[in-house]
């Protein structure tokens, strides 16, 4: 086991500030607050020891306190070295939750933090549930602490990249517990990935650089959910947006949405900003860097930092490096400056504060439902990747309607019969794509 450290944050005196922000966020997170209201007395997560590894932000603090309110013991680390909001971590630590997270940690500290979350309290009881974002906690348990897997009822995974890793494990037969894919709930990927990035992509560039976005040429690599939101974000700011894609369907979608679709090679020389959203590796490489104009801004909003070949930049031009401010770095390639944000790590959490609370409430309501389901009904699941049933997806959406003043039309019985659904839903077949 790991020796007991009650918590580790940047500065516990930030807790009061964090608490005030958490209270504001609660008002924007109706899904989570409804779950507290509905299940707070019953405590369906009683006995659960949930280790979570997900950006330690204000919104995540509201998730953590929801899990606690539902009866769980919780430990927490952040799934990115730059994404912690130190006031959020402090508030959570002050509330008695063992949290190990601060903004700007090293990779070594990152692993140390995740490791701390595996064992609970002074009696070092092991975790029995995993809540993950990107799969780093899952990998640590599966690969370094396999003896713990048997005692774990299941895991829920937040993001596209982590979900890929789980399906790979399922294919190889190395998935040793049931998993719920939270990302592909409609109320997650079609909201957080898309509308979340529509708000937070531009926010990140502004906070990092204060550059004028109107009239600038922006290349968005990838037009999946994150790419769609990111491209819309820059369009909304008046930028001229070009999209790159490998998938003809997404390429055509981008074209129909009015974006120019080109190869990076074709447009990189004129780009003012290049942003990767693919969840794939090696998108921006040495040859692209060499073709870029002076003062280009380069960043990534996908989960891992391998979308941009930062290693190439450091290896060849590391001697030109100047830190403008934390998470904003300048490199000079043959007389032309490149501004690299968040060292190529996800920019909206590295240089800004991630998505707004309201959209995260949708994601985290799915997370909480997934944890409740696996904790209470483990026997109904094999060691496979599952999704939450559609009626829960619809319920998550419904919990968020009144906050935006939306009136839902009630289906009549004969109408329901006419389109072949139940009056109470689900309202769409499984194959419907939204
Ligand atoms: P997605 O699978 O919907 O979209 C990725 C798109 O990139 C696909 O359309 C794919 O065809 C395209 N692509 C792949 N290789 C490419 C290449 N070489 N050139 C151009 N396009 C390429 O995935 P999604 O949900 O959009 O997620 C993307 C990444 O963002 C993942 O790593 C995910 O974990 C992460 N993510 C980040 C968030 C944030 O707040 N920063 C929020 C949600 C997800």
């Amino acid at each position: 086991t790991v020796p007991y450290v009650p918590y580790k944050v940047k500065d516990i005196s930030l807790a009061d500030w964090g608490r005030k922000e958490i209270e504001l966020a609660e008002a924007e997170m109706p899904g989570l607050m409804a779950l507290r209201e509905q299940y707070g007395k019953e405590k369906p997560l009683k006995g659960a020891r949930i280790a979570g590894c997900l950006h330690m932000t204000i919104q995540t603090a509201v998730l953590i306190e929801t899990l606690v309110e539902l009866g769980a013991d919780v430990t927490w680390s952040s799934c990115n070295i730059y994404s912690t909001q130190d006031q959020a971590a402090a508030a959570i630590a002050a509330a008695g939750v063992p949290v190990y997270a601060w903004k700007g940690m090293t990779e070594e500290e990152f692993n140390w933090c995740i490791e701390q979350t595996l064992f609970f309290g002074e009696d070092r009881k092991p975790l029995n549930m995993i809540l993950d974002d990107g799969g780093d906690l899952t990998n640590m348990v599966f690969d370094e602490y396999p003896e713990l897997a048997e005692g774990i009822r299941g895991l829920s995974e937040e993001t596209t990249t982590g979900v890929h890793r789980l399906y790979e494990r399922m294919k190889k037969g190395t998935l040793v517990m049931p998993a719920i894919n939270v990302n592909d709930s409609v109320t997650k990927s079609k909201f957080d990935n898309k509308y979340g990035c529509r708000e937070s992509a531009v926010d990140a560039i502004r906070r990092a650089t204060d550059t004028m976005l109107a009239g600038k040429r922006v290349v968005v690599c990838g037009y999946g959910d994150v790419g769609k939101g990111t491209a819309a974000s820059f369009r909304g700011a008046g930028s001229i947006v070009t999209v790159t894609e490998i998938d003809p369907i997404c390429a055509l979608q981008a074209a129909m949405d009015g974006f120019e679709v080109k190869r990076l090679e074709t447009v990189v020389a004129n780009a003012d900003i290049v942003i990767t959203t693919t969840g794939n590796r090696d998108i921006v490489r040495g040859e692209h860097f060499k073709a870029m104009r002076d003062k280009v801004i380069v960043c990534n909003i996908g989960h891992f930092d391998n979308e941009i070949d930062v290693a190439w930049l450091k290896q060849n031009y590391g001697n030109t490096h100047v830190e403008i401010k934390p998470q904003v770095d300048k490199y000079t390639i043959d007389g032309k400056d490149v501004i690299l944000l968040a060292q190529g790590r996800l920019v909206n959490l590295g240089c800004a504060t991630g998505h707004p609370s309201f959209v995260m409430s949708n994601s985290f309501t799915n997370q909480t439902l997934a944890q409740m389901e696996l904790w209470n009904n483990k026997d109904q699941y094999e060691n496979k990747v599952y999704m939450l049933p559609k009626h829960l997806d619809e319920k998550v959406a419904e919990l968020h309607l009144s906050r935006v003043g939306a009136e839902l039309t009630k289906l009549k019985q004969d109408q329901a019969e006419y389109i072949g659904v139940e009056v109470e839903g689900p309202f769409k077949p499984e194959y419907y794509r939204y």
Side-chain angles (χ1 to χ4, degrees):
T1 68
V2 176
Y4 178 58
V5 178
Y7 65 85
K8 189 162 184 207
V9 300
K10 177 79 155 274
D11 179 359
I12 194 72
S13 76
L14 300 175
D16 282 350
W17 170 27
R19 178 54 52 192
K20 289 176 204 156
E21 289 198 345
I22 289 170
E23 281 166 15
L24 285 187
E26 285 172 354
E28 284 284 307
M29 303 189 84
L32 289 179
M33 299 315 274
L35 292 184
R36 290 189 196 183
E37 180 82 37
Q38 190 175 348
Y39 298 109
K41 282 218 181 79
E42 195 186 310
K43 309 270 178 235
L45 289 173
K46 191 162 188 293
R49 288 187 298 278
I50 303 172
C53 181
L54 195 156
H55 311 291
M56 184 58 251
T57 63
I58 292 292
Q59 293 71 35
T60 302
V62 182
L63 167 62
I64 291 170
E65 294 196 327
T66 302
L67 298 170
V68 169
E69 176 102 15
L70 269 49
D73 284 327
V74 178
T75 57
W76 215 265
S77 63
S78 196
C79 61
N80 184 283
I81 62 172
Y82 295 136
S83 64
T84 296
Q85 291 158 16
D86 289 318
Q87 74 278 23
I92 286 301
V97 174
V99 49
Y100 310 88
W102 58 96
K103 190 176 182 81
M105 56 175 62
T106 64
E107 302 242 5
E108 212 172 43
E109 290 167 335
F110 177 77
N111 287 321
W112 179 88
C113 287
I114 297 179
E115 209 161 27
Q116 302 313 302
T117 65
L118 303 180
F119 301 94
F120 285 56
E122 285 180 78
D123 51 356
R124 306 277 72 195
K125 284 207 186 96
L127 78 170
N128 55 27
M129 292 292 293
I130 293 173
L131 191 160
D132 210 354
D133 182 347
D136 288 333
L137 167 60
T138 302
N139 282 356
M140 181 174 289
V141 169
F142 284 37
D143 300 337
E144 292 171 49
Y145 291 86
E147 68 279 5
L148 296 181
E150 203 183 334
I152 303 175
R153 292 198 189 175
L155 72 92
S156 59
E157 168 56 53
E158 174 84 359
T159 199
T160 316
T161 287
V163 162
H164 282 162
R165 287 175 162 186
L166 291 176
Y167 284 106
E168 251 167 50
R169 281 192 183 271
M170 185 165 82
K171 233 197 287 174
K172 287 191 197 137
T174 60
L175 184 65
V176 293
M177 63 186 68
I180 292 186
N181 165 0
V182 168
N183 182 68
D184 289 290
S185 286
V186 179
T187 49
K188 200 285 183 181
S189 49
K190 300 294 170 187
F191 289 81
D192 165 328
N193 305 27
K194 183 178 172 186
Y195 301 117
C197 289
R198 192 171 71 180
E199 310 242 346
S200 63
V202 151
D203 186 26
I205 309 293
R206 291 200 198 285
R207 291 200 206 199
T209 67
D210 293 315
T211 198
M212 180 87 174
L213 290 173
K216 295 290 173 59
R217 290 179 195 274
V218 179
V219 181
V220 177
C221 300
Y223 202 68
D225 292 318
V226 169
K228 288 177 174 77
T230 300
S233 188
F234 286 100
R235 166 179 279 169
S239 305
I240 303 163
V241 181
T242 303
V243 166
T244 76
E245 253 297 343
I246 50 143
D247 178 338
I249 295 178
C250 298
L252 190 59
Q253 280 182 312
M256 295 299 100
D257 287 339
F259 296 107
E260 192 178 49
V261 181
K262 296 285 176 194
R263 296 203 181 122
L264 185 54
E265 291 74 23
T266 314
V267 288
V268 72
N270 277 327
D272 297 297
I273 298 171
V274 178
I275 181 164
T276 55
T277 77
T278 68
N280 201 350
R281 54 180 294 180
D282 301 329
I283 304 301
V284 178
R285 302 182 298 270
E287 67 259 34
H288 303 124
F289 275 120
K290 288 203 138 200
M292 287 173 185
R293 63 163 25 154
D294 187 40
K295 303 288 185 305
V296 62
I297 295 167
V298 180
C299 59
N300 162 48
I301 196 166
H303 190 79
F304 282 121
D305 62 348
N306 54 356
E307 298 205 27
I308 298 170
D309 195 353
V310 176
W312 179 90
L313 199 56
K314 286 189 175 162
Q315 204 177 346
N316 293 287
Y317 297 92
N319 59 332
T320 68
H321 171 240
V322 175
E323 184 183 76
I324 310 273
K325 63 180 183 181
Q327 285 85 58
V328 182
D329 295 279
K330 188 179 76 161
Y331 293 83
T332 307
I333 302 176
D334 309 334
K336 293 182 289 178
D337 293 337
V338 170
I339 313 298
L340 179 70
L341 303 186
Q343 297 279 349
R345 293 166 203 269
L346 79 183
V347 72
N348 57 336
L349 283 137
C351 293
T353 52
H355 300 339
S357 302
F358 184 75
V359 85
M360 294 315 295
S361 178
N362 286 269
S363 307
F364 290 165
T365 304
N366 280 292
Q367 276 287 6
T368 306
L369 291 169
Q371 289 286 319
M372 283 164 54
E373 182 58 24
L374 288 170
W375 178 247
N376 291 303
N377 301 312
K378 180 194 188 307
D379 297 344
Q380 295 171 20
Y381 294 92
E382 297 170 48
N383 293 347
K384 291 185 178 162
V385 186
Y386 295 87
M387 299 222 315
L388 284 175
K390 191 171 286 293
H391 73 91
L392 291 182
D393 216 348
E394 291 177 352
K395 176 179 164 175
V396 171
E398 189 168 359
L399 290 174
H400 291 86
L401 287 177
S402 68
R403 178 68 188 83
V404 289
E407 289 179 359
L408 194 61
T409 300
K410 186 93 188 116
L411 201 55
K412 293 185 175 58
Q413 184 60 45
D414 60 334
Q415 289 179 315
E417 281 165 21
Y418 189 71
I419 60 169
V421 302
E422 300 294 324
V423 167
E424 300 305 328
F427 299 101
K428 296 286 194 295
E430 283 306 323
Y431 54 78
Y432 188 78
R433 292 198 178 91
Y434 299 87

